């Protein structure tokens, strides 16, 4: 089992920067991937960004150039730096964690969600 605790989020104005954090604890394998998903009202959950324990990252096209995902392996923490926030970024943001064993994923864990609302 893995526990994920998110922090950050809130109500901000357009153009403001915000950083989300997610700290993992429990049965963490040395090879894993962490990511951020978001879900807006009436829409499907979408992947925002991922980062592996080795460092490679992937981003949704809608956030490239504005969002940056990073991690601190010593703290088992992943971050999402969100710059130039837009109203369309309004959603609940969920942290995700997957262990890897060999070529397979094992386990699929989620944070509690953080509400990000971008409005004037």
């Amino acid at each position: 089992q893995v526990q994920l605790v998110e922090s950050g989020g809130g109500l901000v104005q357009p153009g403001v920067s915000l950083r989300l954090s997610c700290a993992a604890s429990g049965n963490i394998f040395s090879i894993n991937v962490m990511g951020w998903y978001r879900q807006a009202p009436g829409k499907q959950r979408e992947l925002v960004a991922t980062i592996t324990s080795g460092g490679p990252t992937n981003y949704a096209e809608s956030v490239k150039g504005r969002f940056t995902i990073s991690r601190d392996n010593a703290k088992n923490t992943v971050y999402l730096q969100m710059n130039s926030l837009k109203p369309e970024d309004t959603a609940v943001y969920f942290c995700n964690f997957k262990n890897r064993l060999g070529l397979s994923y094992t386990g699929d864990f989620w944070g509690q969600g953080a509400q990000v609302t971008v409005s004037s």
Side-chain angles (χ1 to χ4, degrees), residues 99-118:
N99 278 316
R100 294 204 69 180
L101 184 63
L103 298 179
S104 301
Y105 290 106
T106 179
D108 191 1
F109 303 94
W110 295 90
Q112 78 276 16
Q115 177 70 52
V116 174
T117 302
V118 185

Side-chain angles (χ1 to χ4, degrees), residues 38-73:
R38 67 185 183 186
Q39 187 167 21
K43 301 185 69 176
Q44 295 188 42
R45 185 175 300 183
E46 64 175 349
L47 192 148
V48 177
T50 62
I51 184 168
T52 70
S53 51
T57 59
N58 287 294
Y59 294 92
E61 288 294 327
S62 60
V63 305
K64 285 183 178 179
R66 297 190 298 121
F67 291 9
T68 302
I69 188 170
S70 62
R71 62 187 292 165
D72 185 338
N73 288 336

Side-chain angles (χ1 to χ4, degrees), residues 9 12 15 19 21 26 28 38-39 50 57 70 72 74 77 79 81 84 89 92 95 100 113 116:
V12 298
R19 190 176 78 160
S21 299
I28 300 172
R38 67 185 183 186
Q39 187 167 21
T50 62
T57 59
S70 62
D72 185 338
T77 300
Y79 307 93
Q81 178 68 42
S84 301
D89 295 317
V92 178
C95 178
R100 294 204 69 180
V116 174

